[in-house]
Amino acid sequence: ESYELTAAGMRDADNYKKFLAKQEQLDYAKRNEDGFDAKTRLEQQRHEQLAADHESYELTAAGMRDADAYRKQMAEEERQDYAKRNEDGFDAKARFEQMRHEKLAADHESYELTAAGMRDADNYKKFLA
């Protein structure tokens, strides 16, 4: 009976060692799966961060292009405004010069008529005398 008990104890010990080996194998498999899941999550987070960084870069670049386009538009509008004011200034100066010439011509004509009238009056006085 001692032999049978020893054999049964050895079988129980072998079975327990097999059980522990199986548990260890399952534990390694579970840890491996957990590690793979953690790595996958980290990789997904890194990918999402890269995508967000890229989108931010694209938005920043688009904003800078918009700002440059706006500055160019403002510069062109300012240039056109200066050109228009310059043209208006030339037109105003031309109108002023035209009016000045017309006034000088009218003043000259008035002077000529006055002088002619004075000559006519002198001639009439001579005629009456």
Side-chain angles (χ1 to χ4, degrees):
E1 183 177 315
S2 172
Y3 176 75
E4 289 177 10
L5 288 174
T6 301
M10 290 178 72
R11 278 193 308 274
D12 287 345
D14 285 342
N15 285 339
Y16 185 69
K17 286 179 184 178
K18 287 179 184 175
F19 172 77
L20 287 178
K22 184 66 174 173
Q23 287 298 87
E24 186 177 14
Q25 180 187 10
L26 291 174
D27 184 53
Y28 284 145
K30 176 70 172 139
R31 283 194 280 167
N32 190 28
E33 183 181 341
D34 290 345
F36 181 77
D37 289 345
K39 183 178 177 182
T40 303
R41 280 192 307 275
L42 285 174
E43 191 61 28
Q44 179 65 28
Q45 288 173 349
R46 189 181 75 78
H47 176 72
E48 290 171 359
Q49 184 63 45
L50 285 173
D53 291 347
H54 180 71
E55 183 179 3
S56 175
Y57 171 78
E58 288 293 327
L59 290 172
T60 299
M64 291 174 72
R65 285 190 301 271
D66 289 347
D68 286 342
Y70 178 74
R71 280 191 291 273
K72 286 178 184 176
Q73 179 186 356
M74 290 295 101
E76 178 61 21
E77 287 178 11
E78 185 176 20
R79 186 195 66 76
Q80 289 176 355
D81 183 54
Y82 286 147
K84 177 70 173 138
R85 285 196 269 164
N86 194 29
E87 183 182 327
D88 290 347
F90 280 124
D91 290 346
K93 183 177 179 180
R95 284 192 306 274
F96 176 76
E97 285 297 316
Q98 179 65 31
M99 290 187 322
R100 190 176 74 80
H101 285 298
E102 289 172 1
K103 178 157 180 10
L104 285 173
D107 289 348
H108 181 70
E109 184 180 358
S110 174
Y111 172 75
E112 289 290 327
L113 289 173
T114 301
M118 291 174 74
R119 279 191 308 275
D120 287 347
D122 286 345
N123 286 338
Y124 182 70
K125 287 180 186 175
K126 287 180 186 175
F127 172 73
L128 291 177

